[in-house]
Amino acid sequence: MISTKPDLNTFAARIRKDVLSMLLKRGYGHVGGSLSIVELLAVLYGKQMNYRPDEPHWEKRDYLVLSKGHSGPGVYSALANSGFFPKSWLETLNDGGTRLPSHLDRNKTPGVDATTGSLGQGTSIATGIAAGLAKEGAKDQYVYLITGDGELNEGQCWEAFQYLAHAALSNCIVFIDENKGQNDGKSEAIIRHFDLAEKMRAFGFYTQKVDGKNLAMIDDAIEIAKNQKQQANCIVLDTVKGQGVPFFENYAGVHSVKFNSPEIIEATESAIRELEKQIDE
Ligand SMILES: Cc1ncc(C[n+]2csc(CCOP(=O)(O)OP(=O)(O)O)c2C)c(N)n1
């Protein structure tokens, strides 16, 4: 079965709503970095990626490696809404015995290809997959690697990037979710990453920078990347932590939220109601 691809605006609203519902039910979780990649996930699973939900290990599939594995809830929603497993599983996020742990685990969840959570490691995993596909002569098969700007503090990322650039693995498209925040505060205050697009260009990547809130721009950038086969590809996404929910965009503790105050719970429930209206339209 090849899945039917949904309307991208509705798909993004669905993922955003599911992320909020899952984390609210759990009582805590990584809101900021899950919401900042919602538009990217909608474009990937809703349009760009090739997969078979009833055959997750289909050998011609595209691969997604979410190297910032703590943003797993967004991927779970994208997978459930694409038919990889029942939507009821979303209610079990991080329960004992769940198939959906807070960080991605390839041995637990259909559709997850890389176990991540220790920042940096997914960049090497994705590089290995891309190198393997290239060696096999795979055509039009891609590895989509999602990294965080905070994650790039890990030296391992730059080792992997050096190899991607050296081997000109254009089949790996590296996304940097530049949401400007991390665990302990603003990225700029922890380790300033300067101009990421310039850095990636200097490393040898064909680099684009786009508004990570804009579905059409993300989609166009991926099309351009797919048609460029001379260099490794990077797309820097200008995003916001807590993206798409005004309360969380302005909430200092958005990296990992505890839903333990009436204000936070009401803001989340109200955002869910707004998103439900968008999904019904
Ligand atoms: C090797 C490693 N060190 C530290 C952590 C703890 N940690 C979890 S999330 C995070 C911040 C990551 O920032 P970023 O990549 O920008 O993610 P986002 O802001 O998009 O959530 C840190 C330091 C970890 N998971 N792995």
PDB file of all heavy atoms in Angstrom, residues 30 32-34 36 68 70-71 103 117-120 147-152 154 177 179-184 187 241 255, ligand 1:
ATOM      1  N   HIS A  30       9.123  17.429  25.910  1.00  0.00           N
ATOM      2  CA  HIS A  30       9.877  18.380  25.082  1.00  0.00           C
ATOM      3  C   HIS A  30       8.958  19.090  24.094  1.00  0.00           C
ATOM      4  O   HIS A  30       8.859  18.695  22.932  1.00  0.00           O
ATOM      5  CB  HIS A  30      11.001  17.647  24.346  1.00  0.00           C
ATOM      6  CG  HIS A  30      12.068  17.160  25.272  1.00  0.00           C
ATOM      7  ND1 HIS A  30      12.195  15.843  25.640  1.00  0.00           N
ATOM      8  CD2 HIS A  30      13.049  17.833  25.925  1.00  0.00           C
ATOM      9  CE1 HIS A  30      13.221  15.721  26.473  1.00  0.00           C
ATOM     10  NE2 HIS A  30      13.758  16.914  26.666  1.00  0.00           N
ATOM     11  N   GLY A  32       9.215  22.467  23.118  1.00  0.00           N
ATOM     12  CA  GLY A  32       9.868  23.464  22.252  1.00  0.00           C
ATOM     13  C   GLY A  32      10.408  22.894  20.959  1.00  0.00           C
ATOM     14  O   GLY A  32      10.063  23.343  19.864  1.00  0.00           O
ATOM     15  N   GLY A  33      11.260  21.875  21.078  1.00  0.00           N
ATOM     16  CA  GLY A  33      11.926  21.312  19.909  1.00  0.00           C
ATOM     17  C   GLY A  33      11.046  20.347  19.133  1.00  0.00           C
ATOM     18  O   GLY A  33      11.375  19.982  17.997  1.00  0.00           O
ATOM     19  N   SER A  34       9.936  19.899  19.731  1.00  0.00           N
ATOM     20  CA  SER A  34       8.990  19.084  18.958  1.00  0.00           C
ATOM     21  C   SER A  34       8.166  19.996  18.054  1.00  0.00           C
ATOM     22  O   SER A  34       7.934  19.674  16.879  1.00  0.00           O
ATOM     23  CB  SER A  34       8.051  18.305  19.888  1.00  0.00           C
ATOM     24  OG  SER A  34       8.774  17.412  20.703  1.00  0.00           O
ATOM     25  N   SER A  36       9.000  22.961  16.869  1.00  0.00           N
ATOM     26  CA  SER A  36       9.736  23.725  15.841  1.00  0.00           C
ATOM     27  C   SER A  36       9.971  22.926  14.553  1.00  0.00           C
ATOM     28  O   SER A  36      10.307  23.501  13.525  1.00  0.00           O
ATOM     29  CB  SER A  36      11.060  24.273  16.395  1.00  0.00           C
ATOM     30  OG  SER A  36      11.877  23.244  16.894  1.00  0.00           O
ATOM     31  N   LYS A  68      18.063  14.823  16.871  1.00  0.00           N
ATOM     32  CA  LYS A  68      17.633  15.419  18.162  1.00  0.00           C
ATOM     33  C   LYS A  68      16.430  14.588  18.637  1.00  0.00           C
ATOM     34  O   LYS A  68      15.264  14.999  18.550  1.00  0.00           O
ATOM     35  CB  LYS A  68      17.349  16.918  18.050  1.00  0.00           C
ATOM     36  CG  LYS A  68      16.548  17.391  16.863  1.00  0.00           C
ATOM     37  CD  LYS A  68      16.198  18.860  16.999  1.00  0.00           C
ATOM     38  CE  LYS A  68      14.732  19.117  16.722  1.00  0.00           C
ATOM     39  NZ  LYS A  68      14.104  20.175  17.416  1.00  0.00           N
ATOM     40  N   HIS A  70      14.981  13.753  21.209  1.00  0.00           N
ATOM     41  CA  HIS A  70      13.988  14.165  22.215  1.00  0.00           C
ATOM     42  C   HIS A  70      12.751  14.784  21.574  1.00  0.00           C
ATOM     43  O   HIS A  70      11.757  14.995  22.258  1.00  0.00           O
ATOM     44  CB  HIS A  70      14.620  15.147  23.211  1.00  0.00           C
ATOM     45  CG  HIS A  70      15.187  16.377  22.579  1.00  0.00           C
ATOM     46  ND1 HIS A  70      16.419  16.389  21.948  1.00  0.00           N
ATOM     47  CD2 HIS A  70      14.696  17.628  22.456  1.00  0.00           C
ATOM     48  CE1 HIS A  70      16.657  17.587  21.482  1.00  0.00           C
ATOM     49  NE2 HIS A  70      15.623  18.369  21.764  1.00  0.00           N
ATOM     50  N   SER A  71      12.807  15.075  20.263  1.00  0.00           N
ATOM     51  CA  SER A  71      11.629  15.653  19.586  1.00  0.00           C
ATOM     52  C   SER A  71      10.763  14.554  18.966  1.00  0.00           C
ATOM     53  O   SER A  71       9.992  14.806  18.036  1.00  0.00           O
ATOM     54  CB  SER A  71      12.081  16.656  18.519  1.00  0.00           C
ATOM     55  OG  SER A  71      12.878  17.658  19.110  1.00  0.00           O
ATOM     56  N   HIS A 103      12.179   9.197  23.521  1.00  0.00           N
ATOM     57  CA  HIS A 103      13.211   9.350  22.492  1.00  0.00           C
ATOM     58  C   HIS A 103      13.107   8.160  21.533  1.00  0.00           C
ATOM     59  O   HIS A 103      12.747   7.054  21.935  1.00  0.00           O
ATOM     60  CB  HIS A 103      14.608   9.366  23.123  1.00  0.00           C
ATOM     61  CG  HIS A 103      14.843  10.538  24.035  1.00  0.00           C
ATOM     62  ND1 HIS A 103      14.007  10.848  25.078  1.00  0.00           N
ATOM     63  CD2 HIS A 103      15.823  11.465  24.066  1.00  0.00           C
ATOM     64  CE1 HIS A 103      14.467  11.920  25.703  1.00  0.00           C
ATOM     65  NE2 HIS A 103      15.564  12.322  25.101  1.00  0.00           N
ATOM     66  N   GLY A 117      18.873  10.100  20.697  1.00  0.00           N
ATOM     67  CA  GLY A 117      18.606  10.711  21.998  1.00  0.00           C
ATOM     68  C   GLY A 117      19.911  11.199  22.609  1.00  0.00           C
ATOM     69  O   GLY A 117      19.945  12.215  23.286  1.00  0.00           O
ATOM     70  N   SER A 118      20.998  10.452  22.345  1.00  0.00           N
ATOM     71  CA  SER A 118      22.305  10.942  22.716  1.00  0.00           C
ATOM     72  C   SER A 118      22.737  11.843  21.562  1.00  0.00           C
ATOM     73  O   SER A 118      23.062  11.374  20.467  1.00  0.00           O
ATOM     74  CB  SER A 118      23.275   9.777  22.916  1.00  0.00           C
ATOM     75  OG  SER A 118      24.513  10.289  23.338  1.00  0.00           O
ATOM     76  N   LEU A 119      22.712  13.142  21.795  1.00  0.00           N
ATOM     77  CA  LEU A 119      22.874  14.113  20.707  1.00  0.00           C
ATOM     78  C   LEU A 119      24.168  13.879  19.939  1.00  0.00           C
ATOM     79  O   LEU A 119      25.193  13.543  20.517  1.00  0.00           O
ATOM     80  CB  LEU A 119      22.846  15.534  21.277  1.00  0.00           C
ATOM     81  CG  LEU A 119      21.519  15.955  21.913  1.00  0.00           C
ATOM     82  CD1 LEU A 119      21.684  17.281  22.670  1.00  0.00           C
ATOM     83  CD2 LEU A 119      20.414  16.071  20.880  1.00  0.00           C
ATOM     84  N   GLY A 120      24.091  14.058  18.648  1.00  0.00           N
ATOM     85  CA  GLY A 120      25.257  13.906  17.781  1.00  0.00           C
ATOM     86  C   GLY A 120      25.262  12.574  17.051  1.00  0.00           C
ATOM     87  O   GLY A 120      25.658  12.493  15.885  1.00  0.00           O
ATOM     88  N   THR A 147      18.817  17.798  12.636  1.00  0.00           N
ATOM     89  CA  THR A 147      19.669  18.124  13.785  1.00  0.00           C
ATOM     90  C   THR A 147      19.181  19.423  14.436  1.00  0.00           C
ATOM     91  O   THR A 147      18.452  20.200  13.818  1.00  0.00           O
ATOM     92  CB  THR A 147      21.131  18.356  13.341  1.00  0.00           C
ATOM     93  OG1 THR A 147      21.157  19.497  12.470  1.00  0.00           O
ATOM     94  CG2 THR A 147      21.695  17.169  12.607  1.00  0.00           C
ATOM     95  N   GLY A 148      19.612  19.639  15.660  1.00  0.00           N
ATOM     96  CA  GLY A 148      19.261  20.885  16.351  1.00  0.00           C
ATOM     97  C   GLY A 148      20.455  21.818  16.421  1.00  0.00           C
ATOM     98  O   GLY A 148      21.604  21.357  16.360  1.00  0.00           O
ATOM     99  N   ASP A 149      20.192  23.114  16.572  1.00  0.00           N
ATOM    100  CA  ASP A 149      21.341  24.038  16.652  1.00  0.00           C
ATOM    101  C   ASP A 149      22.134  23.805  17.936  1.00  0.00           C
ATOM    102  O   ASP A 149      23.362  23.883  17.946  1.00  0.00           O
ATOM    103  CB  ASP A 149      20.932  25.512  16.474  1.00  0.00           C
ATOM    104  CG  ASP A 149      19.849  25.977  17.431  1.00  0.00           C
ATOM    105  OD1 ASP A 149      19.306  25.160  18.207  1.00  0.00           O
ATOM    106  OD2 ASP A 149      19.528  27.182  17.401  1.00  0.00           O
ATOM    107  N   GLY A 150      21.459  23.448  19.020  1.00  0.00           N
ATOM    108  CA  GLY A 150      22.162  23.113  20.255  1.00  0.00           C
ATOM    109  C   GLY A 150      22.950  21.829  20.088  1.00  0.00           C
ATOM    110  O   GLY A 150      24.088  21.697  20.572  1.00  0.00           O
ATOM    111  N   GLU A 151      22.369  20.895  19.395  1.00  0.00           N
ATOM    112  CA  GLU A 151      23.032  19.605  19.166  1.00  0.00           C
ATOM    113  C   GLU A 151      24.381  19.783  18.483  1.00  0.00           C
ATOM    114  O   GLU A 151      25.307  18.988  18.703  1.00  0.00           O
ATOM    115  CB  GLU A 151      22.128  18.714  18.293  1.00  0.00           C
ATOM    116  CG  GLU A 151      22.792  17.400  17.945  1.00  0.00           C
ATOM    117  CD  GLU A 151      21.914  16.468  17.121  1.00  0.00           C
ATOM    118  OE1 GLU A 151      20.900  16.923  16.560  1.00  0.00           O
ATOM    119  OE2 GLU A 151      22.270  15.283  17.056  1.00  0.00           O
ATOM    120  N   LEU A 152      24.495  20.829  17.666  1.00  0.00           N
ATOM    121  CA  LEU A 152      25.747  21.026  16.916  1.00  0.00           C
ATOM    122  C   LEU A 152      26.921  21.360  17.829  1.00  0.00           C
ATOM    123  O   LEU A 152      28.063  21.424  17.378  1.00  0.00           O
ATOM    124  CB  LEU A 152      25.561  22.093  15.829  1.00  0.00           C
ATOM    125  CG  LEU A 152      24.516  21.763  14.757  1.00  0.00           C
ATOM    126  CD1 LEU A 152      24.548  22.797  13.645  1.00  0.00           C
ATOM    127  CD2 LEU A 152      24.738  20.371  14.165  1.00  0.00           C
ATOM    128  N   GLU A 154      27.923  19.275  19.776  1.00  0.00           N
ATOM    129  CA  GLU A 154      28.604  17.975  19.810  1.00  0.00           C
ATOM    130  C   GLU A 154      29.579  17.867  18.634  1.00  0.00           C
ATOM    131  O   GLU A 154      29.164  17.950  17.468  1.00  0.00           O
ATOM    132  CB  GLU A 154      27.577  16.834  19.687  1.00  0.00           C
ATOM    133  CG  GLU A 154      26.712  16.662  20.904  1.00  0.00           C
ATOM    134  CD  GLU A 154      27.492  16.111  22.095  1.00  0.00           C
ATOM    135  OE1 GLU A 154      28.576  15.525  21.887  1.00  0.00           O
ATOM    136  OE2 GLU A 154      27.011  16.287  23.219  1.00  0.00           O
ATOM    137  N   ASP A 177      17.618  22.596  12.554  1.00  0.00           N
ATOM    138  CA  ASP A 177      16.468  23.297  13.132  1.00  0.00           C
ATOM    139  C   ASP A 177      17.009  24.444  13.988  1.00  0.00           C
ATOM    140  O   ASP A 177      17.301  24.265  15.171  1.00  0.00           O
ATOM    141  CB  ASP A 177      15.659  22.300  13.982  1.00  0.00           C
ATOM    142  CG  ASP A 177      14.524  22.963  14.717  1.00  0.00           C
ATOM    143  OD1 ASP A 177      14.109  24.073  14.314  1.00  0.00           O
ATOM    144  OD2 ASP A 177      14.042  22.381  15.716  1.00  0.00           O
ATOM    145  N   ASN A 179      16.331  26.874  15.981  1.00  0.00           N
ATOM    146  CA  ASN A 179      15.288  27.515  16.814  1.00  0.00           C
ATOM    147  C   ASN A 179      15.901  28.374  17.919  1.00  0.00           C
ATOM    148  O   ASN A 179      15.183  28.928  18.744  1.00  0.00           O
ATOM    149  CB  ASN A 179      14.304  26.462  17.357  1.00  0.00           C
ATOM    150  CG  ASN A 179      14.961  25.447  18.269  1.00  0.00           C
ATOM    151  OD1 ASN A 179      16.013  25.698  18.856  1.00  0.00           O
ATOM    152  ND2 ASN A 179      14.334  24.279  18.412  1.00  0.00           N
ATOM    153  N   LYS A 180      17.189  28.442  17.917  1.00  0.00           N
ATOM    154  CA  LYS A 180      17.962  29.392  18.738  1.00  0.00           C
ATOM    155  C   LYS A 180      17.931  29.122  20.237  1.00  0.00           C
ATOM    156  O   LYS A 180      18.352  29.951  21.039  1.00  0.00           O
ATOM    157  CB  LYS A 180      17.543  30.843  18.443  1.00  0.00           C
ATOM    158  CG  LYS A 180      17.760  31.233  16.994  1.00  0.00           C
ATOM    159  CD  LYS A 180      16.749  32.259  16.501  1.00  0.00           C
ATOM    160  CE  LYS A 180      16.539  32.209  15.020  1.00  0.00           C
ATOM    161  NZ  LYS A 180      15.610  31.178  14.541  1.00  0.00           N
ATOM    162  N   GLY A 181      17.391  27.963  20.606  1.00  0.00           N
ATOM    163  CA  GLY A 181      17.375  27.633  22.031  1.00  0.00           C
ATOM    164  C   GLY A 181      17.813  26.206  22.236  1.00  0.00           C
ATOM    165  O   GLY A 181      17.867  25.419  21.290  1.00  0.00           O
ATOM    166  N   GLN A 182      18.167  25.879  23.452  1.00  0.00           N
ATOM    167  CA  GLN A 182      18.475  24.489  23.796  1.00  0.00           C
ATOM    168  C   GLN A 182      18.033  24.216  25.215  1.00  0.00           C
ATOM    169  O   GLN A 182      17.202  24.940  25.765  1.00  0.00           O
ATOM    170  CB  GLN A 182      19.928  24.158  23.512  1.00  0.00           C
ATOM    171  CG  GLN A 182      20.940  25.192  23.968  1.00  0.00           C
ATOM    172  CD  GLN A 182      22.329  24.853  23.466  1.00  0.00           C
ATOM    173  OE1 GLN A 182      22.965  23.949  23.975  1.00  0.00           O
ATOM    174  NE2 GLN A 182      22.809  25.577  22.464  1.00  0.00           N
ATOM    175  N   ASN A 183      18.574  23.150  25.810  1.00  0.00           N
ATOM    176  CA  ASN A 183      18.168  22.729  27.146  1.00  0.00           C
ATOM    177  C   ASN A 183      18.260  23.828  28.187  1.00  0.00           C
ATOM    178  O   ASN A 183      17.339  24.072  28.955  1.00  0.00           O
ATOM    179  CB  ASN A 183      19.153  21.621  27.553  1.00  0.00           C
ATOM    180  CG  ASN A 183      18.526  20.543  28.345  1.00  0.00           C
ATOM    181  OD1 ASN A 183      17.332  20.555  28.512  1.00  0.00           O
ATOM    182  ND2 ASN A 183      19.310  19.613  28.818  1.00  0.00           N
ATOM    183  N   ASP A 184      19.404  24.482  28.186  1.00  0.00           N
ATOM    184  CA  ASP A 184      19.726  25.377  29.296  1.00  0.00           C
ATOM    185  C   ASP A 184      19.572  26.848  28.962  1.00  0.00           C
ATOM    186  O   ASP A 184      20.087  27.699  29.673  1.00  0.00           O
ATOM    187  CB  ASP A 184      21.173  25.100  29.744  1.00  0.00           C
ATOM    188  CG  ASP A 184      21.377  23.626  30.035  1.00  0.00           C
ATOM    189  OD1 ASP A 184      20.735  23.135  30.965  1.00  0.00           O
ATOM    190  OD2 ASP A 184      22.137  22.965  29.301  1.00  0.00           O
ATOM    191  N   SER A 187      20.838  29.409  22.651  1.00  0.00           N
ATOM    192  CA  SER A 187      22.072  28.837  22.078  1.00  0.00           C
ATOM    193  C   SER A 187      23.205  29.865  22.102  1.00  0.00           C
ATOM    194  O   SER A 187      24.355  29.541  22.400  1.00  0.00           O
ATOM    195  CB  SER A 187      21.821  28.380  20.639  1.00  0.00           C
ATOM    196  OG  SER A 187      20.848  27.370  20.625  1.00  0.00           O
ATOM    197  N   LYS A 241      11.347  28.112  18.944  1.00  0.00           N
ATOM    198  CA  LYS A 241      10.999  27.053  19.899  1.00  0.00           C
ATOM    199  C   LYS A 241       9.547  27.228  20.324  1.00  0.00           C
ATOM    200  O   LYS A 241       9.111  28.332  20.639  1.00  0.00           O
ATOM    201  CB  LYS A 241      11.932  27.102  21.117  1.00  0.00           C
ATOM    202  CG  LYS A 241      13.034  26.056  21.000  1.00  0.00           C
ATOM    203  CD  LYS A 241      13.944  25.999  22.171  1.00  0.00           C
ATOM    204  CE  LYS A 241      13.869  24.607  22.803  1.00  0.00           C
ATOM    205  NZ  LYS A 241      15.171  24.043  23.145  1.00  0.00           N
ATOM    206  N   HIS A 255      11.655  24.448  26.544  1.00  0.00           N
ATOM    207  CA  HIS A 255      12.413  23.258  26.111  1.00  0.00           C
ATOM    208  C   HIS A 255      11.751  21.980  26.645  1.00  0.00           C
ATOM    209  O   HIS A 255      11.424  21.066  25.902  1.00  0.00           O
ATOM    210  CB  HIS A 255      13.872  23.320  26.556  1.00  0.00           C
ATOM    211  CG  HIS A 255      14.651  22.108  26.126  1.00  0.00           C
ATOM    212  ND1 HIS A 255      15.114  21.947  24.845  1.00  0.00           N
ATOM    213  CD2 HIS A 255      14.986  20.962  26.789  1.00  0.00           C
ATOM    214  CE1 HIS A 255      15.719  20.769  24.733  1.00  0.00           C
ATOM    215  NE2 HIS A 255      15.646  20.157  25.903  1.00  0.00           N
TER     216      HIS A 255
HETATM  217  C1  LIG B   1      25.136  13.827  24.252  1.00  0.00           C
HETATM  218  C2  LIG B   1      24.020  14.547  24.930  1.00  0.00           C
HETATM  219  N1  LIG B   1      24.295  15.566  25.759  1.00  0.00           N
HETATM  220  C3  LIG B   1      23.287  16.229  26.399  1.00  0.00           C
HETATM  221  C4  LIG B   1      21.993  15.844  26.210  1.00  0.00           C
HETATM  222  C5  LIG B   1      20.885  16.572  26.962  1.00  0.00           C
HETATM  223  N2  LIG B   1      20.077  17.407  26.072  1.00  0.00           N
HETATM  224  C6  LIG B   1      18.868  17.015  25.658  1.00  0.00           C
HETATM  225  S1  LIG B   1      18.144  18.108  24.642  1.00  0.00           S
HETATM  226  C7  LIG B   1      19.457  19.158  24.746  1.00  0.00           C
HETATM  227  C8  LIG B   1      19.481  20.465  23.989  1.00  0.00           C
HETATM  228  C9  LIG B   1      19.454  20.236  22.532  1.00  0.00           C
HETATM  229  O1  LIG B   1      19.309  21.445  21.860  1.00  0.00           O
HETATM  230  P1  LIG B   1      18.813  21.459  20.371  1.00  0.00           P
HETATM  231  O2  LIG B   1      19.588  20.483  19.596  1.00  0.00           O
HETATM  232  O3  LIG B   1      18.860  22.864  19.898  1.00  0.00           O
HETATM  233  O4  LIG B   1      17.346  20.910  20.481  1.00  0.00           O
HETATM  234  P2  LIG B   1      15.963  21.733  20.454  1.00  0.00           P
HETATM  235  O5  LIG B   1      16.223  23.091  20.999  1.00  0.00           O
HETATM  236  O6  LIG B   1      15.562  21.807  19.044  1.00  0.00           O
HETATM  237  O7  LIG B   1      15.031  20.939  21.300  1.00  0.00           O
HETATM  238  C10 LIG B   1      20.440  18.644  25.585  1.00  0.00           C
HETATM  239  C11 LIG B   1      21.714  19.323  25.890  1.00  0.00           C
HETATM  240  C12 LIG B   1      21.740  14.769  25.331  1.00  0.00           C
HETATM  241  N3  LIG B   1      20.502  14.352  25.060  1.00  0.00           N
HETATM  242  N4  LIG B   1      22.767  14.148  24.692  1.00  0.00           N
END
